[in-house]
DNA sequence: ATAATCCTTAAACCGCGCTTTAAGGCAACC
DNA sequence: GGTTGCCTTAAAGCGCGGTTTAAGGATTAT
């Protein structure tokens, strides 16, 4: 067994472009890719799994430079596990920060949307200053211009 | 009343650089900024609130071009509210997508971390292939190499 | 044999979102 | 009246993360 994939197969399975994969390899994020006799890359399942993981981390804000640090540490063996844990724990903090940013944004969007509905239903007006139209944060809080 | 702020005050209150604020204005994200007799910008509370909201949206992946669309629609009056709602609803979808990406990444990080702890405690080994060191997804799932 | 389809590389290019630089104006303090 | 410190503008520069281009090699199908 030990099935190997061409770059095209890999890119199809992963949903990321072949140039991107090559770029990752060039940047050192993807060590130990073997080649066939013609110099064509051969990806194994392990590589696909690692790329998939990188994709997941990248999509949530991890920098390539951090991925590279982790690769380099991994290549240095198990003695670097504490450092890798520390990187991942920092990244985890980052994820939590992003979660609360998302929650905040969701609140703000919902607030805006309900303001718009109020305006549509005639329950509120879009105030004087033009910016207020986008900007009317209070939403039926203070109405001292009766 | 109707307190106005210099760009420096605005940038301090908002935690974003003065050049960024100028850039936003230039890009049309920030209409109706008044000037004093010397041509210096004067920001009112409304502007600060709107910038703060933009910051919140930007931090969670909204493109400047989308912000600009919303500004332009707002400048066209209440008749564009349906379009603005539609934009915000799409963005909301985006936020949900990001939320699940974050959740996925958190899972993956926690998985990695527990693999590392297993290795540290001698409960698992860091397998053969070098990539496996980073890459050993299964984590005490299948161990058919007895 | 020729065309299509895959692969390779190096290098150039791109969009985004700022940041930095350069050149200058006004105002207040010492 | 010079220095400091704020402001202005236009334009250039930058870091990131790829994408695109160009030039070429090998395999397969017709």
């Amino acid at each position: 067994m030990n099935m190997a994939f061409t770059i095209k197969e890999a890119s199809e399975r992963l949903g990321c472009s072949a140039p991107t994969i090559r770029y990752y390899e060039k940047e050192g994020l993807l060590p130990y890719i073997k080649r066939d006799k013609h110099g064509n890359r051969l990806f194994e399942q392990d590589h696909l799994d690692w790329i998939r993981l990188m994709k997941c981390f990248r999509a949530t804000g991890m920098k390539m430079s951090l991925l590279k640090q982790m690769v380099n540490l991994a290549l240095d063996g198990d003695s670097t596990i504490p450092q890798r844990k520390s990187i991942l724990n920092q990244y985890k903090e980052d994820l939590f920060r992003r979660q609360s940013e998302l929650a905040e944004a969701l609140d703000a969007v919902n607030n805006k949307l309900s303001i718009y509905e109020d305006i549509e239903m005639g329950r509120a007006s879009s105030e004087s200053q033009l910016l207020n139209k986008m900007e009317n944060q209070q939403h039926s809080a203070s109405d001292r211009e009766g």
Side-chain angles (χ1 to χ4, degrees), chain A:
Chain A
M1 282 277 157
N2 236 332
M3 180 75 172
F5 306 96
T6 68
I7 197 164
K8 197 191 182 206
E9 289 162 343
S11 93
E12 280 160 357
R13 272 164 183 76
L14 292 166
C16 62
S17 78
T20 297
I21 298 177
R22 291 195 192 100
Y23 172 64
Y24 282 5
E25 191 197 14
K26 197 178 63 174
E27 293 302 302
L29 268 49
L30 218 34
Y32 300 114
I33 304 289
K34 295 195 187 102
R35 305 297 182 113
D36 70 11
K37 59 187 168 192
H38 302 302
N40 294 348
R41 289 173 184 81
L42 291 176
F43 297 86
E44 291 170 33
Q45 191 55 49
D46 282 350
H47 297 118
L48 301 201
D49 291 344
W50 170 232
I51 296 171
R52 211 186 304 279
L53 185 61
M54 290 201 289
K55 208 187 163 197
C56 167
F57 286 178
R58 291 279 310 113
T60 50
M62 184 180 279
K63 305 268 179 190
M64 286 183 53
S65 58
L66 210 52
L67 285 171
K68 191 169 180 185
Q69 275 184 51
M70 297 215 299
V71 170
N72 289 340
L73 288 170
L75 295 177
D76 275 358
D78 284 2
S79 66
T80 65
I81 283 184
Q83 294 148 77
R84 285 185 260 162
K85 277 172 64 179
S86 152
I87 287 177
L88 285 184
N89 277 316
Q90 280 176 249
Y91 170 53
K92 200 168 155 181
E93 288 307 306
D94 226 78
L95 292 177
F96 289 141
R97 218 172 306 123
R98 280 172 213 274
Q99 277 187 330
S100 57
E101 287 171 348
L102 279 184
E104 209 180 318
L106 256 173
D107 268 11
V109 168
N110 285 331
N111 186 28
K112 271 296 175 213
L113 283 172
S114 73
I115 291 174
Y116 287 156
E117 308 222 317
D118 282 2
I119 294 174
E120 279 182 329
M121 309 298 268
R123 284 194 297 263
S125 83
S126 58
E127 297 314 290
S128 45
Q129 300 99 313
L130 276 172
L131 242 190
N132 253 3
K133 288 175 185 170
M134 311 218 45
E135 218 309 289
N136 198 354
Q137 289 300 58
Q138 297 81 338
H139 185 219
S140 75
S142 63
D143 43 297
R144 55 226 139 115
E145 28 233 333

